[in-house]
Amino acid sequence: MPAVTRRGYTGPADLRAMQSLAQRIWSKASSLHVGDLAWGRFQHAGREAEWPTALWEADGEIVAWGWISLPGELMLLVDPARPELASEVLAWFADTASAAELAVTVLDAEKHVAAALERCGYAPQENPVFQSYMSRLLVDLPEPVVPAGFTLRPVGPDDLDRRVALHRAVWHPSRVTGPSYRTVMAAWPYRAELDWVAEAPDGRFAAQCLIWLDERNAVGELEPVGTLPEFRRTGLARAVCLAALRAAHHAGAREAVVYPVLNHPKSAGALPLYRGLGFRPYARTLTFTRTRRRIPPFPGPASPEGAQ
């Protein structure tokens, strides 16, 4: 088996290499879609110092990687054919993170990573907040219906400011800016024709659905989806998602996935929305944590017995 070397993240070309692993091992036993990585890395500018990242490479191919959010959270992906690398990624994480409590979130189907976590002293938490992984085949998609005066369409070249304003209002407080969203739009595999909005009669963008297409696996991921507060419960989220899903199917997607956060007050409407769109759960996330014991300062040489 080829020797494995570790190196640090150097820029967008390495993100593409990380995506190549996600794409190569994609299945419903994998926690990450190529779109997760592009959106996660580029939606906020100026955070590289908060995100130590390392890649493990064998024979010119990425076989594992870890991405830390300081002070102590890890996202990782390990080729199931190289399960021993999970322990190496966790050792690097422990050496690099600064928090007393370390946290790692994985998919319940990533058995090789969960086993390594338990060997390294992590324990699964009874966390009421988790992500439900849901999917649906892109067949029999109904026509989207919008309230009178609203229009569904993909974003155009002059829509950046309104697109960013919509995102910031939906996800307030948000660190997304015009320059950071421009970076998202320049990243692989973003496609403007899969970035859909519902435009209100007054010209505002009222709802959004961005789909990331993995052409190799013919699967699109919805990330992010949202509606301005004043337009919620009007059917706009359903309509804009259907329009984007139909566009993804036209572009070659056979399936779509979405990962709503459950049991969080800001996402109370997510599960009913996606169930109504025909998505069904197939997996969920688990969070493992480990508390590190702090070593007391070395007290210096001991005094001889009986010394005063």
Side-chain angles (χ1 to χ4, degrees), residues 130-138 141-142 170-171 207-211 220-227 235-245 256-262 266-282:
F130 64 94
Q131 283 182 283
S132 175
Y133 277 51
M134 308 180 74
S135 70
R136 71 153 292 166
L137 295 177
L138 297 183
L141 288 167
V170 168
W171 300 104
Q208 60 177 1
C209 177
L210 171 56
I211 294 184
E221 180 199 7
L222 284 68
E223 174 70 320
V225 174
T227 306
L236 284 179
R238 173 182 171 84
V240 76
C241 286
L242 283 173
L245 288 168
V257 294
V258 68
Y259 313 143
V261 177
L262 302 190
K266 286 190 175 181
S267 58
L271 187 59
L273 168 65
Y274 298 125
R275 282 194 180 279
L277 286 166
F279 286 86
R280 294 294 177 262
Y282 64 87

Side-chain angles (χ1 to χ4, degrees), residues 65 80 85 111 121 146 153 189 206 217 235-236 252 261 279-280 294:
W65 54 258
L85 294 179
K111 305 297 185 184
V146 293
R153 64 175 179 84
N217 295 294
L236 284 179
V261 177
F279 286 86
R280 294 294 177 262
R294 294 190 179 277

Side-chain angles (χ1 to χ4, degrees), residues 171-182:
W171 300 104
H172 177 80
S174 170
R175 295 172 67 170
V176 169
T177 64
S180 73
Y181 203 82
R182 189 175 290 112

Side-chain angles (χ1 to χ4, degrees), residues 171-262:
W171 300 104
H172 177 80
S174 170
R175 295 172 67 170
V176 169
T177 64
S180 73
Y181 203 82
R182 189 175 290 112
T183 302
V184 168
M185 297 173 82
W188 182 88
Y190 175 89
R191 296 187 183 191
E193 66 268 26
L194 301 182
D195 191 356
W196 280 70
V197 292
E199 188 172 5
D202 62 7
R204 285 183 297 163
F205 289 165
Q208 60 177 1
C209 177
L210 171 56
I211 294 184
W212 300 87
L213 177 59
D214 174 352
E215 287 185 291
R216 175 174 173 172
N217 295 294
V219 58
E221 180 199 7
L222 284 68
E223 174 70 320
V225 174
T227 306
L228 290 178
E230 60 264 45
F231 295 113
R232 289 172 187 165
R233 294 184 173 81
T234 63
L236 284 179
R238 173 182 171 84
V240 76
C241 286
L242 283 173
L245 288 168
R246 291 166 68 91
H249 188 218
H250 181 75
R254 295 191 300 269
E255 184 181 16
V257 294
V258 68
Y259 313 143
V261 177
L262 302 190

Side-chain angles (χ1 to χ4, degrees), residues 7-276:
R7 61 183 176 85
Y9 179 89
T10 60
D14 280 342
L15 183 72
R16 187 68 183 86
M18 293 162 65
Q19 290 171 308
S20 72
L21 174 60
Q23 194 171 46
R24 193 171 72 249
I25 68 171
W26 169 260
S27 72
K28 288 184 178 176
S30 177
S31 60
L32 291 162
H33 185 275
V34 292
D36 291 310
L37 301 179
W39 176 248
R41 200 83 194 190
F42 297 130
Q43 64 170 307
H44 302 153
R47 297 190 64 182
E48 289 301 323
E50 304 172 34
W51 290 337
T53 304
L55 295 77
W56 281 255
E57 191 170 21
D59 200 21
E61 189 172 69
I62 301 302
V63 289
W65 54 258
W67 174 350
I68 298 172
S69 293
L70 292 174
E73 297 181 9
L74 174 69
M75 179 167 60
L76 77 165
L77 196 64
V78 177
D79 189 334
R82 302 297 300 260
E84 73 282 0
L85 294 179
S87 296
E88 291 194 27
V89 179
L90 293 173
W92 166 78
F93 174 43
D95 289 342
T96 307
S98 56
E101 183 175 81
L102 304 180
V104 184
T105 298
V106 299
L107 201 63
D108 58 3
E110 292 179 294
K111 305 297 185 184
H112 61 305
V113 180
L117 284 161
E118 292 180 346
R119 287 196 303 269
C120 292
Y122 289 80
Q125 299 300 295
E126 291 297 330
N127 188 350
V129 177
F130 64 94
Q131 283 182 283
S132 175
Y133 277 51
M134 308 180 74
S135 70
R136 71 153 292 166
L137 295 177
L138 297 183
V139 294
D140 301 323
L141 288 167
E143 289 277 355
V145 177
V146 293
F150 285 81
T151 303
L152 299 172
R153 64 175 179 84
V155 298
D158 299 322
D159 291 334
L160 178 66
D161 290 344
R162 284 188 292 168
R163 183 67 180 83
V164 171
L166 169 63
H167 184 91
R168 289 176 62 85
V170 168
W171 300 104
H172 177 80
S174 170
R175 295 172 67 170
V176 169
T177 64
S180 73
Y181 203 82
R182 189 175 290 112
T183 302
V184 168
M185 297 173 82
W188 182 88
Y190 175 89
R191 296 187 183 191
E193 66 268 26
L194 301 182
D195 191 356
W196 280 70
V197 292
E199 188 172 5
D202 62 7
R204 285 183 297 163
F205 289 165
Q208 60 177 1
C209 177
L210 171 56
I211 294 184
W212 300 87
L213 177 59
D214 174 352
E215 287 185 291
R216 175 174 173 172
N217 295 294
V219 58
E221 180 199 7
L222 284 68
E223 174 70 320
V225 174
T227 306
L228 290 178
E230 60 264 45
F231 295 113
R232 289 172 187 165
R233 294 184 173 81
T234 63
L236 284 179
R238 173 182 171 84
V240 76
C241 286
L242 283 173
L245 288 168
R246 291 166 68 91
H249 188 218
H250 181 75
R254 295 191 300 269
E255 184 181 16
V257 294
V258 68
Y259 313 143
V261 177
L262 302 190
N263 298 330
H264 191 284
K266 286 190 175 181
S267 58
L271 187 59
L273 168 65
Y274 298 125
R275 282 194 180 279

